[in-house]
Amino acid sequence: VQLGASPTQCTLQCNPGKHIVVKKATLYRNGQKLDDNAQYPPKMSCDLLQSCSFTLTQQTYNYMPKDQAPSIGSQLTIKYDCKQDNFQGDPRRITSYTKTQNCPQDSFLQKHVAYFSKESINNDTPVARREREMIAMSVCAQVRRFRENNPNQRIDPHLGTVYLIYSRNSVNNDFIPSPGQNDKCQLNQNALRNSYKYNCQRSTNKWTCSFKGKGMDVAKHDKNNSHLG
């Protein structure tokens, strides 16, 4: 798709039963590669939808430095996969999770927690912030589709809240009983120090994931249904 003086649209489309996952987007200007890590806008707009009309405007990449931002005539190429829908949940993961003092270590993760191990996004640079927002969005988008496919499930009032935890471990046991509350669990101190909290919302044409702080919220949740609060 080419950037023009007026908004330009392109359509990403998958067959029924499949959804979009944007893998990579690259900006070119005058035939020269401008940015090969430009997937943030199309990914936040289109991931986990069957079809999506992505609009490219002069404001789409306004987060880039002015001397690097695309100008009229620049081109954006988007590579995406069509993944099979499977939003019913993994029965093994739901029923065969480990527990620490009766605090499940896996079920809570399906709705509110994602781990990341890349050192390069465990900092406060603009690139790292965008990478974490895309991870938070993917968690919320999957929960949204799960709810659409399971409308009779009890709704968690905090579905848009996500905690991203930096960890290099292959297995994590980060949830412990909440002091004085037998029916609640929360993050331990080590996980809390490495946790980033986000609130995500889907508007008409894109997801927005707002950063709410690092190491500030123990993610207290119900021991039985994993709902926050």
Side-chain angles (χ1 to χ4, degrees):
V1 59
Q2 184 164 307
L3 178 61
S6 57
T8 309
Q9 275 197 340
C10 67
T11 299
L12 283 63
Q13 181 77 42
C14 292
N15 292 328
K18 295 189 175 183
H19 61 270
I20 297 161
V21 176
V22 173
K23 304 297 290 183
K24 192 174 185 62
T26 306
L27 281 166
Y28 295 90
R29 183 167 55 198
N30 299 325
Q32 300 296 315
K33 188 179 292 185
L34 184 65
D35 184 3
D36 64 354
N37 192 30
Q39 56 265 28
Y40 177 78
K43 195 169 183 69
M44 295 297 279
S45 293
C46 296
D47 261 25
L48 278 93
L49 300 178
Q50 182 193 335
S51 64
C52 172
S53 294
F54 175 69
T55 303
L56 180 63
T57 72
Q58 294 182 65
Q59 288 74 45
T60 300
Y61 288 93
N62 59 6
Y63 61 80
M64 296 177 66
K66 287 186 177 181
D67 61 335
Q68 300 175 24
S71 55
I72 292 176
S74 297
Q75 292 182 318
L76 174 69
T77 63
I78 302 171
K79 294 182 179 180
Y80 66 96
D81 290 339
C82 287
K83 299 286 190 179
Q84 192 71 41
D85 286 349
N86 179 16
F87 300 104
Q88 304 305 310
D90 182 341
R92 183 211 61 77
R93 190 175 182 192
I94 293 172
T95 60
S96 300
Y97 45 77
T98 60
K99 291 186 178 183
T100 301
Q101 298 181 63
N102 287 323
C103 284
Q105 297 297 334
D106 290 342
S107 61
F108 182 67
L109 309 188
Q110 297 200 52
K111 292 186 289 186
H112 293 291
V113 173
Y115 285 94
F116 68 95
S117 60
K118 288 175 63 177
E119 180 78 41
S120 60
I121 64 174
N122 187 34
N123 57 59
D124 198 40
T125 64
V127 171
R129 291 197 295 268
R130 289 193 295 274
E131 289 282 343
R132 290 196 303 270
E133 286 178 32
M134 287 188 283
I135 298 171
M137 174 277 297
S138 68
V139 175
C140 282
Q142 289 186 63
V143 170
R144 184 186 189 196
R145 292 296 299 271
F146 177 82
R147 289 301 180 190
E148 290 173 352
N149 284 273
N150 296 272
N152 296 321
Q153 292 286 327
R154 182 183 166 197
I155 299 297
D156 185 337
H158 303 279
L159 282 179
T161 302
V162 178
Y163 300 87
L164 305 184
I165 302 174
Y166 171 69
S167 174
R168 302 296 294 272
N169 301 324
S170 57
V171 176
N172 295 280
N173 293 291
D174 291 331
F175 300 103
I176 58 174
S178 298
Q181 294 181 282
N182 293 331
D183 60 338
K184 302 287 185 180
C185 301
Q186 64 184 52
L187 292 175
N188 62 28
Q189 286 300 307
N190 183 61
L192 176 63
R193 281 192 298 271
N194 292 294
S195 68
Y196 298 80
K197 181 180 179 180
Y198 289 85
N199 281 345
C200 297
Q201 298 182 66
R202 173 79 196 191
S203 65
T204 303
N205 58 3
K206 70 175 183 178
W207 283 92
T208 301
C209 290
S210 303
F211 177 56
K212 296 300 180 181
K214 181 182 180 186
M216 299 175 63
D217 188 331
V218 295
K220 188 179 292 184
H221 56 282
D222 187 278
K223 187 179 293 185
N224 297 309
N225 60 28
S226 296
H227 291 184
L228 283 170

